[in-house]
Amino acid sequence: MRCIFCKSDSGSSCSVEHIIPESIGNTNHTLPKGAVCDACNQYFARKVERPLLESSLFRHLRAGMGIANKRGRVPDWDESEGITKPSYRIMGRFLAKVGLEALAFKTLGVQAWNAEIVEKVELDELRSYARFNIGSDWPFTTRTLHPVNATFKEGATHYHLLHEFDILLTQKSEAYFVLSLLGVELVINLGGRSLDGFRDWLQEHHFASPLYSPKPSQ
């Protein structure tokens, strides 16, 4: 096993990587031990996820919905703090990190998935940006899909939708990571900094979200 970010031998790593932080309600979407080495796991927790989760915007949202961290604590937030978003760069690096992990998650059932992800040179620029903060800002799109506290129903069950994600493959062989996080859709191109292909896809599909559009095989 090699780390999908730094490519080092991670066979002895102990960390189970949560693709979306546990502090945003994720317990199911994880990668096996070694997919992300312990050093990279700890780096992302300190340098990328913490600044995002400690921004007043995310504390406000988590406090309002009662979303506890893995220690069971709901964050505090006061109106006097205002609502400040994470920086564009932190948000971009977070999406790059989550996007690469989501791609790995989607391929876990494929033989030699780890080598396929690690050796894919087309992903190296994304790795460097997410893990080592190298390069210019990675652009992403944002739009609101539903109110953060919207209630959804499945059978007799009512629930809040905290997050969901998918990989969009376009006819131009581009791979876009699509994330709905607390009601907001965020999209990045995993293979480069251009969003033109996604904008073309939106026009062709009447601006529907890729998360809710039929797949080509359907």
Side-chain angles (χ1 to χ4, degrees):
M1 185 77 79
R2 294 167 63 194
C3 175
I4 63 173
F5 288 100
C6 68
K7 302 190 180 185
S8 64
D9 185 335
S10 55
S12 62
S13 292
C14 302
S15 301
V16 172
E17 176 70 6
H18 286 76
I19 298 173
I20 304 293
E22 292 177 89
S23 297
I24 313 182
N26 174 39
T27 57
N28 297 323
H29 296 124
T30 61
L31 292 176
K33 294 178 181 179
V36 178
C37 72
D38 291 342
C40 287
N41 178 289
Q42 293 164 12
Y43 175 86
F44 284 124
R46 294 192 320 268
K47 299 296 186 179
V48 177
E49 294 176 348
R50 181 181 295 172
L52 180 138
L53 293 171
E54 290 184 352
S55 68
S56 59
L57 171 63
F58 273 83
R59 284 190 292 107
H60 166 62
L61 294 174
R62 291 169 59 212
M65 296 186 69
I67 304 172
N69 61 20
K70 59 184 177 182
R71 297 181 179 84
R73 180 178 178 276
V74 176
D76 297 322
W77 178 83
D78 187 87
E79 288 186 9
S80 63
E81 300 179 60
I83 300 177
T84 303
K85 298 177 181 179
S87 73
Y88 190 86
R89 191 166 184 89
I90 283 293
M91 198 72 220
R93 293 181 67 205
F94 172 76
L95 290 173
K97 174 260 185 193
V98 176
L100 184 58
E101 291 180 353
L103 185 62
F105 181 81
K106 292 285 187 179
T107 62
L108 288 178
V110 177
Q111 188 175 11
W113 68 269
N114 182 248
E116 179 69 19
I117 295 293
V118 170
E119 295 170 10
K120 184 72 72 175
V121 295
E122 292 86 351
L123 297 171
D124 285 349
E125 197 172 356
L126 186 78
R127 280 184 250 271
S128 295
Y129 178 70
R131 176 61 176 88
F132 301 106
N133 199 18
I134 294 173
S136 59
D137 287 344
W138 205 285
F140 56 89
T141 68
T142 64
R143 61 173 173 167
T144 300
L145 295 181
H146 59 78
V148 64
N149 59 351
T151 301
F152 297 87
K153 182 179 180 181
E154 185 173 344
T157 303
H158 292 76
Y159 61 94
H160 293 299
L161 186 57
L162 301 182
H163 74 272
E164 58 182 328
F165 60 79
D166 204 352
I167 304 295
L168 170 67
L169 299 176
T170 69
Q171 292 184 344
K172 298 178 180 179
S173 299
E174 292 178 313
Y176 291 90
F177 172 59
V178 185
L179 169 67
S180 174
L181 184 62
L182 302 175
V184 176
E185 179 195 80
L186 303 115
V187 180
I188 65 167
N189 183 348
L190 297 178
R193 287 176 167 81
S194 173
L195 292 167
D196 291 344
F198 178 61
R199 295 189 178 99
D200 291 342
W201 186 94
L202 284 177
Q203 291 186 344
E204 293 167 3
H205 292 80
H206 308 290
F207 295 92
S209 172
L211 295 170
Y212 310 122
S213 296
K215 301 296 185 292
S217 60
Q218 292 180 307

